[in-house]
């Protein structure tokens, strides 16, 4: 008799640093446990509420998601968003749907560079001894990969006049 795994969630009361709230704990049917390599990764997520009634309702929604195999893939997320609470969907699909990254926006957030609309461009002088990391810093700032992009262009051999003294 082949019996399928039945997945359900449980509630856990959190009390840390003077705050209290509810978390949900469950085995995720579509995410692999890194220790065993099998489906059923253990997940613990805060529900964002300290109201027991609300936490119980969120758990019921998560139990419905866990019980219905048609929701166990990332393509079903739009339907889940229509049927279930937003927080329940966030918890269930976290780690299943790859996040889209805007690398330019991330760079601009952490390294706001002047542009021609806001100010004049600035010139920067990097000083340092050989091997100090000037080129590495520059490559990081402009986002190049030394393995795939040849910046700065290096000569294979220096001219004879530069190497002999």
């Amino acid at each position: 008799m082949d019996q399928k795994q039945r997945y359900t969630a449980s509630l856990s009361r959190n009390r840390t640093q003077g705050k209290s709230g509810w978390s949900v704990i469950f085995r995720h049917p579509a995410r692999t446990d890194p220790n065993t390599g099998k489906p059923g990764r253990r997940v613990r997520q805060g529900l964002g509420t300290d109201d027991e009634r609300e936490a119980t309702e969120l758990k019921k929604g998560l139990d419905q998601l866990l019980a219905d195999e048609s929701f166990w893939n990332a393509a079903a997320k739009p339907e889940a968003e229509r049927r279930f609470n937003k927080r329940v969907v966030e918890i269930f699909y976290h780690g299943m749907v790859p996040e889209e990254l805007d690398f330019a926006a991330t760079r601009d957030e952490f390294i706001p560079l002047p542009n021609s609309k806001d100010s004049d461009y600035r010139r920067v002088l990097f000083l340092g001894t050989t091997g100090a990391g000037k080129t590495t810093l520059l490559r990081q700032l402009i986002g190049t990969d030394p393995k795939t992009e040849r910046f700065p262009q290096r000569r294979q051999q220096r001219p004879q006049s530069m190497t002999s003294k």
Side-chain angles (χ1 to χ4, degrees), residues 73-144:
N73 65 65
K77 185 177 180 183
E79 178 62 25
E81 288 172 332
R82 285 190 285 279
R83 290 185 47 190
F84 299 101
N85 179 286
K86 179 183 175 187
R87 183 64 185 137
V88 169
V89 174
E90 286 173 357
I91 290 170
F92 186 80
Y93 289 97
H94 178 75
M96 284 179 64
V97 181
E99 297 178 25
E100 291 184 28
L101 297 175
D102 183 353
F103 295 108
T106 302
R107 182 196 63 225
D108 291 341
E109 179 183 343
F110 291 102
I111 308 172
L113 299 173
N115 61 42
S116 58
K117 294 177 187 173
D118 299 336
S119 64
D120 295 332
Y121 285 99
R122 306 291 196 267
R123 290 185 184 212
V124 177
L125 176 64
F126 293 111
L127 294 174
T129 60
T130 303
K134 301 176 295 294
T135 302
T136 301
L137 175 61
L138 183 59
R139 284 182 180 146
Q140 292 294 317
L141 288 173
I142 64 174
T144 63

Side-chain angles (χ1 to χ4, degrees), residues 26-63:
F26 64 99
R27 293 277 176 186
H28 199 292
R31 294 184 60 201
T32 305
D33 186 327
N35 297 322
T36 64
K38 296 179 182 177
R41 181 179 190 142
R42 184 180 185 275
V43 176
R44 179 187 178 106
Q45 284 287 321
L47 293 173
T49 183
D50 59 358
D51 180 24
E52 185 174 5
R53 224 180 325 200
E54 184 182 359
T56 302
E57 287 302 311
L58 292 170
K59 179 201 171 293
K60 285 179 185 176
L62 184 57
D63 281 339

